[in-house]
């Protein structure tokens, strides 16, 4: 079995239909460059990327124009639902969903409640489709984890969690997974792109004092446990 430090999952903000790697590329040409570089760093790429970039679909808590972002609204989800339902068999998770209480995104209790309602509906959909959640929780770590637990969520990945360690441990005890992006080393030269996933693996290995091979082994098994569809989509596993 070929193992990587963690599974490469592409997520989409459904109402805008842009891949979550939008921060890394602005065109298909840029995307091809990033994927090609990843291949040079040891990944196999089937034609057209099937089994290499695997989609999630969901409504991100931040919507609107990047210059004037806003919190997600129920109507954002309403427009995305047909897309999610149509592609339910092809996606490996519902996401990226969650809460973002950054003041410039939402600064009223009513705005936060609308985000919660969008998340609640997507949790219900994930349960119906038997899919895990890929969760965003910027400036909302505690309320996000508390809401997930309240809703009985069992399978979730918290993406780039920025909450306190004590709050993260609540998620760990609930059985949730946490991603560690390459940006953990806080270098302007390091981007969160596929070729840099070994940076995350090295960082975890050094922090825990274990061999990097063990990190790769465990995170691969974690990915397969959280995203069981990976076994179907990735032909070389």
């Amino acid at each position: 079995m070929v193992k990587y430090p963690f599974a490469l999952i592409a997520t989409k903000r459904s109402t805008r239909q842009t891949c979550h790697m939008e921060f890394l590329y602005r065109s298909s040409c840029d995307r091809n460059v990033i994927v090609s570089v990843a291949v040079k760093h040891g990944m196999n790429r089937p034609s057209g990327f099937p089994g290499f970039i695997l989609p999630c679909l969901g409504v991100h808590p931040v919507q609107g124009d990047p210059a004037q972002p806003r919190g997600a609204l129920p109507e954002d989800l309403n427009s995305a639902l047909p897309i999610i339902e149509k592609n339910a068999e092809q996606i490996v998770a519902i996401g990226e969903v969650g809460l973002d209480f950054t003041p410039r995104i939402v600064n009223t209790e009513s705005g936060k409640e609308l985000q919660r309602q969008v998340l609640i509906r997507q949790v219900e959909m994930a349960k119906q489709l038997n899919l895990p959640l890929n969760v965003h929780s910027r400036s909302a770590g505690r309320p996000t984890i508390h809401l997930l637990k309240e809703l009985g969520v069992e399978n979730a990945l918290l993406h780039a969690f920025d909450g306190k360690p004590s709050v993260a441990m609540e998620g760990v005890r609930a059985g949730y997974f946490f991603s560690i992006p390459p940006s953990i080393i806080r270098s302007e030269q390091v981007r969160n792109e596929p070729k840099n996933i070994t940076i995350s693996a090295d960082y975890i290995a050094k922090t825990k004092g274990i061999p990097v091979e063990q990190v790769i082994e465990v995170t691969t098994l974690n990915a397969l446990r959280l995203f069981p569809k990976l076994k179907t989509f990735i032909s070389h596993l």
Side-chain angles (χ1 to χ4, degrees):
M1 181 170 68
V2 178
K3 301 181 178 67
Y4 304 127
F6 50 80
L8 172 60
I9 308 292
T11 66
K12 291 186 177 181
R13 300 186 181 186
S14 291
T15 56
R16 287 161 49 184
Q17 286 301 290
T18 55
C19 178
H20 189 57
M21 286 196 291
E22 62 190 284
F23 301 108
L24 303 179
Y25 64 78
R26 298 299 177 184
S27 69
S28 60
C29 177
D30 293 334
R31 176 185 60 198
N32 290 336
V33 168
I34 287 174
V35 173
S36 295
V37 170
V39 170
K40 289 181 181 179
H41 282 72
M43 294 183 177
N44 297 321
R45 174 185 58 184
S47 176
F49 313 152
F52 185 78
I53 297 180
L54 306 175
C56 307
L57 287 175
V59 173
H60 195 278
V62 180
Q63 294 291 316
D65 187 279
Q68 294 182 309
R70 60 169 174 79
L73 302 172
E75 48 263 42
D76 296 321
L77 179 56
N78 292 340
S79 64
L81 281 176
I83 301 172
I84 298 172
E85 292 170 352
K86 180 180 178 181
N87 295 280
E89 293 300 318
Q90 284 72 49
I91 60 179
V92 297
I94 297 296
E96 186 173 332
V97 302
L99 302 176
D100 191 315
F101 291 169
T102 308
R104 70 186 182 89
I105 306 300
V106 57
N107 54 20
T108 65
E109 285 304 314
S110 60
K112 293 178 181 180
E113 181 57 30
L114 287 171
Q115 279 194 14
R116 290 190 189 95
Q117 292 306 313
V118 172
L119 175 56
I120 289 170
R121 288 176 60 190
Q122 293 188 96
V123 167
E124 293 171 349
M125 178 168 51
K127 288 182 178 180
Q128 292 171 359
L129 297 174
N130 193 29
L131 290 172
L133 292 163
N134 185 13
V135 183
H136 173 104
S137 58
R138 185 169 57 185
S139 298
R142 189 181 300 276
T144 299
I145 288 180
H146 285 184
L147 182 56
L148 293 177
K149 291 171 61 179
E150 179 184 325
L151 296 172
V153 171
E154 296 181 356
N155 300 310
L157 170 68
L158 281 102
H159 162 74
F161 185 78
D162 67 353
K164 296 180 179 179
S166 59
V167 178
M169 288 307 300
E170 289 188 49
V172 171
R173 287 190 289 270
Y176 305 151
F177 292 89
F178 291 78
S179 67
I180 308 295
S183 59
I184 188 70
I185 65 172
R186 301 185 183 279
S187 169
E188 294 182 1
Q189 285 71 47
V190 174
R191 303 194 302 178
N192 287 335
E193 62 178 281
K195 77 178 183 69
N196 289 328
I197 60 175
T198 54
I199 292 175
S200 296
D202 288 335
Y203 183 90
I204 295 170
K206 291 177 181 177
T207 300
K208 297 182 71 66
I210 60 177
V212 69
E213 291 78 12
Q214 184 177 347
V215 174
I216 293 173
E217 175 78 23
V218 171
T219 54
T220 297
L221 293 175
N222 284 345
L224 293 172
R225 174 182 169 192
L226 181 60
F227 303 108
K229 279 191 175 183
L230 288 176
K231 298 175 183 178
T232 301
F233 284 112
I234 301 179
S235 60
H236 58 256
L237 286 180

